[in-house]
Amino acid sequence: MIDQYLTFLIAGDPYAVGVAHVREIVGFDSPTRVPGTPPWIRGVVNLRGLVVPVVDLAVKFGRAASEVTRRTCVVIVELQLGGEPVTMGIMVDAVSQVIELTPEQILPPPTFGANVRIDYLLGLVTTANTFASLLDIERVLTAEEMLAAEDSAALSSPRGSANAVQVQGG
């Protein structure tokens, strides 16, 4: 069985997610900050009337905030979080390509010891003489973290939840 993965750069490092999760890729438009959200949530954008949170995975992974360039874009992904469909945006430095992989081509994540989180990884794949980290996007953006972020945004905003809110006139 062959699966497709979208590859992209975050903080200069290659990553990939399953194409099955990718809804679309949109140009980067400065998101609106939402008070009370964690630093790794850049804000929200209006995607044809749907308010979509944009996550800066560089910050979530302990790196400096991503710099915005002309190649910066947002990968819109659809996930199942807590049994509910959720649309999220992932800020990336640049999209690279779609690759096709068989399960045999995916290397298991390395063992680093107890203090390093590898539960975000499905494995590693080789691309252009380097490794790309294959992300388990539903673990990277866990239901608990997103609900906590949503609750803090709702407490800070008189309009309520920042997730899946319809905007009039979008």
Side-chain angles (χ1 to χ4, degrees):
M1 178 177 176
I2 296 176
D3 289 315
Q4 293 183 322
Y5 298 89
L6 177 69
T7 61
F8 49 85
L9 297 174
I10 297 174
D13 293 326
Y15 291 89
V17 295
V19 168
H21 288 291
V22 177
R23 179 171 162 191
E24 63 186 288
I25 301 165
V26 297
F28 185 81
D29 187 19
S30 294
T32 302
R33 287 285 212 195
V34 178
T37 56
W40 46 268
I41 295 184
R42 262 321 243 261
V44 295
V45 294
N46 181 352
L47 184 66
R48 293 179 298 284
L50 183 67
V51 176
V52 177
V54 176
V55 174
D56 186 342
L57 288 183
V59 175
K60 186 159 179 45
F61 294 161
R63 310 283 293 271
S66 296
E67 295 293 324
V68 177
T69 69
R70 65 177 185 81
R71 295 188 62 198
T72 302
C73 56
V74 177
V75 177
I76 305 295
V77 295
E78 289 184 346
L79 316 165
Q80 290 290 318
L81 296 180
E84 297 292 323
V86 176
T87 302
M88 301 284 300
I90 300 170
M91 181 179 177
V92 302
D93 298 343
V95 170
S96 301
Q97 64 183 341
V98 173
I99 58 174
E100 293 184 341
L101 299 170
T102 63
E104 296 79 28
Q105 292 175 290
I106 300 172
L107 303 170
T111 303
F112 291 103
N115 293 332
V116 176
R117 289 190 68 172
I118 61 167
D119 57 327
Y120 291 166
L121 296 180
L122 292 172
L124 299 173
V125 297
T126 54
T127 60
N129 298 325
T130 188
F131 286 112
S133 298
L134 181 56
L135 297 175
D136 183 342
I137 200 65
E138 290 184 352
R139 285 188 182 240
V140 172
L141 306 172
T142 66
E144 295 80 19
E145 288 177 321
M146 296 317 301
L147 288 173
E150 185 176 315
D151 288 345
S152 65
L155 291 174
S156 301
S157 170
R159 296 192 63 155
S161 171
N163 190 20
V165 176
Q166 291 294 322
V167 176
Q168 299 301 317

